[in-house]
C-alpha cells in the first residue's frame, strides 16, 4: 500500500515536469532564446563558445611564454608596443612571464577543460542521452552558466590590473600568494583570482547538482542505469567529484582571502619579506597544499573523465562494435573516482610530508594504474577487428588513447616518492600532465565536438580542415612534450624564465627553440579549428538525416533541429543498452527498438 | 491488492520515474548539503590540525564565560548554551512548520515559520553580542616587555598562559595566545553565521510566499520542506562548531 502511494507521488512529480517543458514551444524572444536561455542545448553552446574564447586566450599566453623560453635573448619591439612595460625592450619581463604561466594554467585547467568541457557536454548530452526534456532545474542550469560568465569577467578583468593578474602559478601556493608585498602578482590580481574562483565554484556546484539529479531522477522509461551510455556514466562521476571536492577549494580560498586582507595567519608563520619581519605566526603553508590538492587531484579527473566517456562512445560507434567490457568500464570509472580522493598528497612528497605517510600515498597512487589499464585494454579491444570508420572524431578518440597511455606511464614514475625527489618540479612533471591531462582531454573534447557538432548546429564541420587539425595536433603534442621528459630527467626545473645562464641546461637551448616553434605551429592549427568551427556553424554542410553516424543513442532520435523539449511527441522508451553494433548481422540497433523475438542475447 | 502489486512489479532504477521517491528539488538540496558539509569539514579539519600543532590553546571555559548584563560574573559557556538552545528550538519550530505544510495548514505554516525566523534572528543577535564582547573585551597582556590591554581579534589573542606573580589592577597578566584562535573562531563561526543569515532570508521569503498563498495555489508546501532541510543542516553544523570551539 505504502509503496503505491509513493509510486503515485513519483509519477506526479515527473509528469509535472514534462508539462512544464511542453509549454515552451511558443515564440521566444532573442533574450530568452540566446542569452538567458534555459534550454540545455543553448546553455551547452554558450559554455562551448565561452570555452573556445578562453582557450584562444590561454593558448596565446603559452605562445608568448614559449617565445621567451625558445628565444631568451630575443628583442621583439612589437611586444613592447602591445604590452608596454611588461615587455620592456621587446623582452618578456619575469613578472610578465609568471603572470602568463599562471593565467595559462588557470584558464586551461578551470575555464576550458572544466567549464568548457563538462559544461558543454554534460548539458548537451545528459538530457538527450537519458531521454529527458531538459535538466532537472533549467533555471539553476542557466545560473550555472552565468556564474561561470561572471567568474570569466572577473578573471579577464584581472588581466588589466596595473600590477597584473595572479602570478604565483596555477596552484597559488602561499606564502607567495598570501603576501602582496612579496610580488606584483600577489597584489590585487590575486584577490581577483580568488573571487573569480569562488564564482567558478558556485557555477560548477550548480551545474554538478543538476547533472547528478538529472541522471539519477529523470531517465526515460526503460533507461536503467546499466543502459546508460558511458558518456553519461563518466559525466556522472565527474559531477560527483566536483560536488565533493570543489567546496574544499572554496574553504582554502576563503582562508587565503582572509590571510591576504584581514591579517589572519592561517597559512603564514615566521616570515621575513624584504627585511621586514611579519607578525604572522602559527599558520601552516602545508595546510594550503592539502586543501588545494584535495581538490586538485580530483580536478584532474574532473577534466579527464568526460573525455574518457566521450571517447568510449565515439570509439564504439565508429568501430561498429559494442564497447568491450561495459561493466568493467563503469567499474573502473567508479574506482578512479574513489581513488581520486585518496591520492592528493602525491603532489606533496617533497614539501614536508611525513615519508611514512608518503608510503601510503604511493600505494594508493599506483593503484590508479589498475582501473586506468582496464580502460585502455577495453578501448583497444573495442578497436580490435572493428570495422573502423576514420571520421575526425574517431581519429581524435584514438589519439586520446595513445596520449593517455603515454602520459599514464610517466605517472607511474612520479607516483614513486623516491623517484619523485628527483623529478618533482621538473619538466618531467610538465610533460606528464600536459600529455595525460591537457592534450588528452583536449583530444576527448575535439572528438566530442566533431561527433556532436551535427547535433549542436545541424551542420557538419569541414572534414579536410579536421584531418589537418588532427595530424598537426597529434604530431605537435608529441614533439612538444616528449622532449620535455628528457629535460626533466636531466633535472631542468619548471617555472624559470630563462635557462640560458644556467651551465647545466644551456645544452637545451636548441631543444627549447624547437619546442617553441612546434608550439606556435600547433597553436596556428587550433586557430584553423576555431575558424572551421565558426565557419561551419553558418556555412557547413547541412545535416540531412537524423542519425548521421548510425548511432544507437537517444540524441539521434530527435529531429534535425530539436526544439526546447527535444522530442516533438512522447519521450521515446528504451529497450536495450546503447552498444548493439554489428549484432545479428545488423549494423546497429537503436536503443528505442524493442528486443526482437529471436534476437540473440547481448554480449 | 497484493496480487495487483506483484504483477506491476516496480523497478525503481529502471527509468521513467524518480528512484528516490523524492521531488527533484529535494534530492538536489541533499546533494548541496553534502557539498556544503565538505566546506565546513575542510574548515574544521584545518582548525584541528593547526590547533594541535600549537603548544598552548586557550581554555574555552575562561574565554567564553561572560553573559549580557551580568557584569563580571564567571558563567562558563552559559551564553553559548543559550545560543545553542535557541537554534535547536528554531529547528523544532521548523519541523512544526513543515508538518503544518503537510497538512496544508497555511495558518500553522505562517505561525511556525515566523517563530523560526525569530529564532534565527535571535541567534544572530547573540552571535553579534559575543563577537563584540570578544573584540572589545580587553585584557592585560605582556607584549615586548610592556603590559598592554588588547581584545581578541583575528590577529591578536590575549588568552595566553598566565604569568605568575604579575598583576595588573586585580587581574592576572598573561602572555599572548596563538593568533590562530581568533582567526579560526571568527572565520568559522562567521561562515556559519553567514549560513544562518542566508537561512533567515530564505525563511522570510518562504513566509512571504506562504502568506501570499503561493503554496496554496501550487497545492503543496514542498518548498518549506527544502528550506527546512537547509535549516536543520545549519543547526547540525552548529553542533559541530560548538563541539570544536567550546567543548573541546
Ligand atoms: C597512473 C596514473 C597517474 C599517476 C600515478 C600520476 C602521478 C602523479 C604524480 C606523483 C604527480 C606529482 C609530480 C610532482 O609534482 O612531483 C603528478 C602530477 C600531475 N598529474 Fe599525474 N598521475 C597519473 C595520471 C594523471 C592523470 C590521468 C592526470 C590528469 C587527467 C594527471 C594530472 C596531473 C597533473 C595536472 C599534475 C601536476 C600538477 C602540477 O604540479 O602543476 N595525472 N601525477
Ligand atoms: Cu594527482
Amino acid at each position: 500500500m505504502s509503496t503505491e502511494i509513493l509510486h503515485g507521488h513519483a509519477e506526479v512529480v515527473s509528469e509535472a515536469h514534462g508539462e512544464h517543458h511542453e509549454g515552451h514551444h511558443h515564440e521566444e524572444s532573442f533574450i530568452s532564446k540566446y542569452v538567458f536561455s534555459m534550454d540545455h542545448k543553448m546553455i551547452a553552446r554558450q559554455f562551448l563558445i565561452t570555452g573556445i574564447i578562453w582557450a584562444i586566450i590561454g593558448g596565446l599566453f603559452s605562445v608568448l611564454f614559449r617565445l621567451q623560453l625558445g628565444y631568451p635573448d630575443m628583442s621583439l619591439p612589437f611586444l613592447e608596443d602591445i604590452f608596454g612595460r611588461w615587455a620592456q625592450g621587446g623582452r618578456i619581463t619575469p613578472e610578465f612571464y609568471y603572470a602568463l604561466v599562471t593565467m595559462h594554467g588557470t584558464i586551461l585547467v578551470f575555464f576550458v577543460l572544466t567549464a568548457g568541457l563538462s559544461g558543454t557536454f554534460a548539458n548537451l548530452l545528459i538530457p538527450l542521452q537519458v531521454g529527458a526534456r531538459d535538466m532537472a532545474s533549467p533555471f539553476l542550469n542557466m545560473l550555472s552558466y552565468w556564474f561561470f560568465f561572471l567568474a570569466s569577467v572577473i578573471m579577464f578583468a584581472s588581466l588589466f590590473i596595473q600590477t597584473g593578474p595572479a602570478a604565483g602559478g596555477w596552484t597559488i601556493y602561499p606564502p607567495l600568494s598570501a603576501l602582496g608585498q612579496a610580488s606584483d602578482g600577489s597584489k590585487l590580481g590575486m584577490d581577483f583570482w580568488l573571487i573569480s574562483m569562488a564564482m567558478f565554484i558556485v557555477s560548477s556546484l550548480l551545474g554538478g547538482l543538476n547533472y547528478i539529479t538529472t541522471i539519477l531522477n529523470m531517465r526515460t522509461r526503460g533507461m536503467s542505469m546499466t543502459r546508460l551510455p558511458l558518456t553519461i556514466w563518466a559525466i556522472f562521476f565527474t559531477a560527483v567529484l566536483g560536488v565533493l571536492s570543489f567546496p574544499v577549494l572554496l574553504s582554502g580560498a576563503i582562508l587565503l582571502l582572509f590571510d591576504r586582507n584581514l591579517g589572519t595567519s592561517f597559512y603564514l608563520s615566521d616570515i621575513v619579506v624584504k627585511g621586514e619581519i611579519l607578525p604572522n605566526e602559527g599558520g601552516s603553508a602545508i595546510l594550503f597544499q592539502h586543501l588545494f590538492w584535495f581538490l586538485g587531484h580530483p580536478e584532474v579527473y574532473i577534466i579527464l573523465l568526460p573525455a574518457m566517456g566521450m571517447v568510449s562512445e565515439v570509439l564504439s560507434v565508429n568501430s561498429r562494435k559494442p564497447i568491450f567490457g561495459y561493466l568493467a568500464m563503469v567499474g573502473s570509472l567508479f574506482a578512479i573516482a574513489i581513488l581520486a580522493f585518496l591520492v592528493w598528497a602525491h603532489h606533496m612528497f617533497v614539501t614536508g610530508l611525513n615519508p611514512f605517510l608518503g608510503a601510503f600515498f604511493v600505494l594508493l597512487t599506483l593503484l590508479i594504474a589498475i582501473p586506468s589499464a582496464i580502460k585502455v585494454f577495453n578501448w583497444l579491444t573495442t578497436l580490435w577487428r572493428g570495422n573502423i570508420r576514420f571520421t575526425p572524431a574517431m581519429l581524435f578518440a584514438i589519439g586520446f588513447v595513445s596520449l593517455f597511455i603515454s602520459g599514464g606511464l610517466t605517472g607511474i614514475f612520479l607516483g614513486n616518492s623516491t623517484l619523485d625527489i628527483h623529478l618533482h618540479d621538473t619538466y618531467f612533471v610538465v610533460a606528464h600532465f600536459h600529455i595525460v591531462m591537457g592534450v588528452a582531454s583536449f583530444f576527448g573534447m575535439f572528438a566530442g565536438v566533431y561527433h556532436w557538432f551535427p547535433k549542436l548546429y545541424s551542420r557538419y564541420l569541414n572534414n579536410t580542415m579536421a584531418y589537418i587539425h588532427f595530424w598537426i595536433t597529434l604530431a605537435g603534442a608529441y614533439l612538444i612534450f616528449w622532449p620535455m621528459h628528457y629535460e626533466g630527467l636531466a633535472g631542468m626545473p619548471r617555472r624559470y624564465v630563462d635557462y640560458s645562464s644556467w651551465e647545466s641546461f644551456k645544452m637545451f637551448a636548441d631543444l627549447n627553440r624547437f619546442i617553441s616553434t612546434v608550439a606556435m605551429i600547433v597553436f596556428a592549427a587550433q586557430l584553423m579549428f576555431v575558424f572551421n568551427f565558426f565557419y561551419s556553424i553558418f556555412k557547413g554542410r547541412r545535416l540531412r538525416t537524423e542519425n548521421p553516424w548510425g548511432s544507437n543513442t537517444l540524441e539521434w532520435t530527435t529531429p534535425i533541429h530539436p526544439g526546447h523539449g527535444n522530442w516533438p511527441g512522447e519521450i521515446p522508451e528504451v529497450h536495450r543498452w546503447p552498444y548493439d553494433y554489428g549484432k545479428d548481422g545488423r549494423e546497429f540497433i537503436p536503443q528505442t527498438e524493442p528486443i526482437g523475438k529471436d534476437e540473440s542475447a547481448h554480449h | 491488492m497484493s496480487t495487483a502489486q506483484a504483477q506491476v512489479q516496480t523497478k525503481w532504477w529502471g527509468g521513467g520515474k524518480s528512484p528516490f521517491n523524492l521531488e527533484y528539488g529535494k534530492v538536489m538540496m541533499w546533494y548541496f548539503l553534502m557539498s556544503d558539509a565538505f566546506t565546513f569539514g575542510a574548515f574544521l579539519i584545518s582548525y584541528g590540525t593547526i590547533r594541535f600543532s600549537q603548544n598552548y590553546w586557550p581554555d574555552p571555559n575562561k574565554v567564553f564565560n561572560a553573559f549580557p548584563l551580568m557584569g563580571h560574573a564567571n558563567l562558563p559557556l552559559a551564553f553559548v548554551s543559550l545560543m545553542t538552545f535557541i537554534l535547536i528550538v528554531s529547528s523544532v519550530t521548523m519541523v512544526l512548520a513543515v508538518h503544518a505544510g503537510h497538512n496544508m495548514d497555511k495558518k500553522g505554516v505562517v505561525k511556525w515559520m515566523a517563530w523560526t525566523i525569530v529564532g534565527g534572528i535571535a541567534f544572530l543577535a547573540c552571535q553579534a553580542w559575543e563577537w563584540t564582547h570578544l573584540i572589545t573585551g580587553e585584557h592585560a597582556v605582556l607584549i615586548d616587555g610592556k603590559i598592554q590591554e588588547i581584545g581578541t581579534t583575528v590577529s591578536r589573542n590575549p588568552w595566553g598562559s598566565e604569568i605568575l606573580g604579575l598583576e595588573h589592577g586585580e587581574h592576572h597578566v598573561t602572555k599572548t595566545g596563538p593568533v590562530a584562535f581568533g582567526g579560526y573562531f571568527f572565520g568559522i563561526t562567521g561562515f556559519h553565521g553567514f549560513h544562518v543569515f542566508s537561512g533567515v532570508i530564505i525563511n522570510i521569503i518562504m513566509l512571504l510566499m506562504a502568506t501570499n498563498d503561493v503554496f496554496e495555489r501550487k497545492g503543496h508546501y514542498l518548498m518549506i520542506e527544502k528550506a527546512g532541510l537547509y535549516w536543520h543542516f545549519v543547526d547540525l553544523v552548529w553542533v559541530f562548531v560548538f563541539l570544536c570551539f567550546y567543548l573541546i
Side-chain angles (χ1 to χ4, degrees):
Chain A
M1 178 64 213
S2 72
T3 48
E4 207 176 48
I5 292 171
L6 291 172
H7 183 119
H9 178 63
E11 288 285 318
V12 168
V13 171
S14 58
E15 259 169 35
H17 231 73
E19 257 172 323
H20 169 65
H21 293 295
E22 222 108 45
H24 266 280
H25 288 295
H26 57 79
E27 287 285 300
E28 288 174 292
S29 70
F30 180 82
I31 297 274
S32 72
K33 185 158 179 210
Y34 293 106
V35 185
F36 294 108
S37 171
M38 295 204 213
D39 182 347
H40 69 101
K41 298 184 290 300
M42 186 54 72
I43 296 173
R45 292 180 197 118
Q46 293 174 328
F47 267 110
L48 182 55
I49 290 179
T50 316
I52 288 179
I53 294 170
W54 270 123
I56 298 171
I57 298 173
L60 193 65
F61 286 1
S62 74
V63 168
L64 287 171
F65 66 68
R66 263 331 303 188
L67 214 55
Q68 160 64 27
L69 291 171
Y71 304 87
D73 37 33
M74 68 181 171
S75 172
L76 300 172
F78 79 91
L79 285 180
E80 189 168 2
D81 295 341
I82 302 173
F83 300 109
R85 69 186 168 81
W86 293 99
Q88 219 160 28
R91 297 194 55 193
I92 286 172
T93 60
E95 290 75 24
F96 191 28
Y97 178 84
Y98 291 124
L100 287 172
V101 177
T102 303
M103 283 295 122
H104 166 78
T106 305
I107 289 170
L108 282 145
V109 168
F110 293 111
F111 289 65
V112 180
L113 288 176
T114 303
L117 179 60
S118 284
T120 305
F121 289 102
N123 274 305
L124 177 70
L125 295 180
I126 292 174
L128 283 172
Q129 289 196 331
V130 306
R133 299 224 178 262
D134 204 315
M135 285 289 178
S137 169
F139 177 68
L140 291 187
N141 208 28
M142 175 184 83
L143 280 188
S144 154
Y145 174 75
W146 287 101
F147 268 101
F148 170 51
F149 188 81
L150 184 62
S152 296
V153 169
I154 298 172
M155 195 62 87
F156 192 71
S158 84
L159 300 175
F160 299 95
I161 293 173
Q162 200 229 346
T163 48
W170 77 280
T171 54
I172 56 155
Y173 282 0
L176 176 59
S177 61
L179 299 168
Q181 61 270 48
S183 82
D184 270 357
S186 304
K187 293 195 165 75
L188 193 59
M190 197 61 232
D191 290 315
F192 273 53
W193 193 99
L194 290 166
I195 294 167
S196 168
M197 280 314 293
M199 297 300 117
F200 185 89
I201 291 168
V202 173
S203 155
S204 109
L205 180 63
L206 291 173
L209 295 176
N210 240 324
Y211 306 154
I212 298 175
T213 313
T214 311
I215 292 171
L216 291 183
N217 273 35
M218 306 202 28
R219 285 163 289 123
T220 181
R221 204 173 292 277
M223 183 63 89
S224 62
M225 292 301 277
T226 46
R227 285 179 182 167
L228 286 175
L230 286 172
T231 33
I232 301 300
W233 271 111
I235 290 167
F236 174 72
F237 286 119
T238 306
V240 173
L241 286 178
V243 165
L244 298 184
S245 66
F246 267 115
V248 177
L249 179 67
L250 181 67
S251 311
I254 290 175
L255 296 184
L256 186 52
L257 265 178
F258 286 173
D259 268 6
R260 294 177 50 75
N261 297 305
L262 299 180
T264 53
S265 310
F266 295 116
Y267 304 130
L268 301 173
S269 191
D270 308 315
I271 293 170
V272 181
V273 185
K274 296 181 183 152
E276 181 202 354
I277 301 171
L278 301 186
N280 307 82
E281 53 162 332
S284 160
I286 304 279
L287 171 65
F288 178 84
Q289 299 191 13
H290 281 295
L291 294 176
F292 182 87
W293 287 113
F294 188 85
L295 155 91
H297 187 84
E299 167 66 16
V300 305
Y301 283 98
I302 290 172
I303 288 175
L304 194 69
L305 293 190
M308 285 181 159
M310 290 193 289
V311 162
S312 305
E313 176 72 16
V314 169
L315 280 180
S316 172
V317 172
N318 290 298
S319 304
R320 313 311 283 153
K321 270 182 67 191
I323 190 84
F324 187 89
Y326 175 87
L327 282 179
M329 287 304 231
V330 176
S332 53
L333 285 173
F334 180 64
I336 288 176
I338 298 285
L339 285 172
F341 280 112
L342 304 175
V343 300
W344 77 90
H346 65 212
H347 297 273
M348 302 165 58
F349 284 145
V350 298
T351 50
L353 186 78
N354 183 331
F356 179 70
L357 204 58
F360 291 96
F361 280 102
V362 170
L363 177 68
L364 290 163
T365 299
L366 295 184
L367 278 181
I368 294 198
I370 298 172
S372 307
I374 293 176
K375 298 204 80 82
V376 168
F377 179 80
N378 288 356
W379 285 320
L380 295 178
T381 35
T382 302
L383 285 169
W384 178 251
R385 298 196 160 184
N387 196 356
I388 299 180
R389 298 184 309 204
F390 289 102
T391 61
M394 182 63 165
L395 287 178
F396 275 104
I398 298 171
F400 170 93
V401 177
S402 158
L403 289 158
F404 182 68
I405 296 173
S406 311
L409 286 176
T410 54
I412 297 179
F413 289 63
L414 294 169
N416 289 281
S417 54
T418 31
L419 286 179
D420 193 53
I421 296 172
H422 179 62
L423 295 173
H424 178 67
D425 260 351
T426 66
Y427 265 80
F428 194 88
V429 178
V430 176
H432 158 68
F433 74 76
H434 274 89
I435 289 188
V436 77
M437 174 179 80
V439 190
S441 293
F442 256 105
F443 269 51
M445 188 163 170
F446 286 135
V449 172
Y450 283 107
H451 192 77
W452 280 287
F453 193 85
K455 195 75 256 163
L456 277 166
Y457 293 104
S458 310
R459 291 172 188 268
Y460 295 91
L461 284 158
N462 177 293
N463 263 350
T464 315
M465 277 194 271
Y467 288 127
I468 299 174
H469 176 217
F470 169 75
W471 287 110
I472 294 185
T473 313
L474 182 75
Y478 275 115
L479 289 176
I480 292 170
F481 295 114
W482 200 263
M484 286 188 190
H485 290 104
Y486 300 118
E487 298 184 333
L489 284 171
M492 187 166 120
R494 61 197 278 212
R495 293 182 170 151
Y496 280 77
V497 64
D498 185 354
Y499 297 89
S500 60
S501 53
W502 210 327
E503 209 47 56
S504 337
F505 308 120
K506 262 188 184 154
M507 58 178 172
F508 290 126
D510 290 336
L511 193 54
N512 279 334
R513 191 161 314 137
F514 171 76
I515 293 175
S516 295
T517 313
V518 181
M520 282 176 243
I521 296 171
V522 170
F523 181 68
Q526 307 316 307
L527 290 183
M528 186 190 66
F529 164 77
V530 174
F531 170 76
N532 189 359
F533 183 87
F534 287 105
Y535 178 83
S536 302
I537 290 179
F538 301 105
K539 294 275 167 63
R541 183 160 58 91
R542 274 177 202 285
L543 181 67
R544 305 226 178 265
T545 91
E546 279 183 7
N547 190 355
W549 313 119
S551 190
N552 290 341
T553 39
L554 287 181
E555 75 271 31
W556 305 108
T557 61
T558 59
I560 292 176
H561 293 280
H564 194 177
N566 297 338
W567 287 271
E570 291 264 299
I571 300 183
E573 188 176 342
V574 163
H575 300 279
R576 59 177 73 237
W577 78 325
Y579 296 108
D580 274 336
Y581 293 104
K583 185 183 187 193
D584 294 343
R586 289 181 58 191
E587 200 185 338
F588 67 100
I589 313 177
Q591 281 190 283
T592 48
E593 196 177 308
I595 304 276
K597 273 216 181 60
D598 31 37
E599 194 176 322
S600 55
H602 88 56
H603 308 303
Chain B
M1 159 100 217
S2 60
T3 46
Q5 249 187 353
Q7 276 160 4
V8 210
Q9 208 201 24
T10 325
K11 278 195 190 146
W12 291 111
W13 289 89
K17 66 177 77 65
S18 160
F20 296 117
N21 276 312
L22 287 179
E23 180 247 1
Y24 80 89
K26 236 198 274 178
V27 179
M28 240 186 220
M29 179 57 89
W30 275 107
Y31 298 145
F32 166 72
L33 296 181
M34 264 195 250
S35 177
D36 215 24
F38 270 66
T39 315
F40 276 109
F43 278 137
L44 289 174
I45 290 172
S46 306
Y47 162 69
T49 54
I50 294 295
R51 174 167 169 174
F52 287 109
S53 74
Q54 311 282 332
N55 298 323
Y56 174 87
W57 199 257
D59 176 3
N61 289 312
K62 289 199 182 129
V63 182
F64 306 105
N65 70 348
F67 204 93
L69 309 178
M70 301 296 275
H72 289 284
N74 181 24
L75 300 166
L77 303 189
F79 188 57
V80 71
S81 305
L82 174 70
M83 282 170 75
T84 309
F85 179 71
I86 291 174
L87 207 57
I88 289 175
V89 169
S90 84
S91 247
V92 174
T93 54
M94 185 48 121
V95 171
L96 293 171
V98 172
H99 186 72
H102 275 296
N103 299 334
M104 298 299 291
D105 164 16
K106 177 186 157 190
K107 260 199 181 147
V109 171
V110 170
K111 177 169 97 191
W112 294 118
M113 282 310 279
W115 279 114
T116 310
I117 293 166
V118 170
I121 293 175
F123 178 85
L124 288 173
C126 292
Q127 199 166 34
W129 184 86
E130 188 175 48
W131 276 37
T132 321
H133 180 79
L134 274 177
I135 296 169
T136 57
E138 300 194 324
H139 298 265
V141 180
L142 190 68
I143 302 174
D144 296 335
K146 273 179 289 191
I147 295 177
Q148 298 185 16
E149 304 237 324
I150 60 169
T152 315
T153 67
V154 291
S155 51
R156 306 193 105 177
N157 179 355
W159 303 103
S161 52
E162 282 177 14
I163 302 172
L164 289 177
L166 195 58
E167 304 260 330
H168 179 76
E170 61 239 52
H171 299 284
H172 290 289
V173 177
T174 58
K175 297 181 191 163
T176 51
V179 289
F181 177 81
Y184 279 105
F185 178 78
F186 291 114
I188 295 180
T189 58
F191 196 66
H192 176 266
F194 172 69
H195 274 71
V196 176
F197 177 75
S198 330
V200 169
I201 301 288
I202 293 171
N203 288 346
I204 290 176
I205 295 171
M206 292 300 124
L207 177 66
L208 292 178
M209 286 170 87
T211 47
N212 289 327
D213 285 338
V214 176
F215 302 126
E216 291 286 312
R217 263 175 273 133
K218 278 194 175 173
H220 58 75
Y221 280 82
L222 280 175
M223 299 269 279
I224 301 278
E225 275 184 57
K226 279 176 261 179
L229 280 177
Y230 178 77
W231 192 252
H232 296 316
F233 172 78
V234 172
D235 249 26
L236 182 69
V237 169
W238 177 255
V239 172
F240 281 93
V241 173
F242 180 61
L243 180 76
C244 292
F245 281 98
Y246 297 89
L247 295 186
I248 301 180

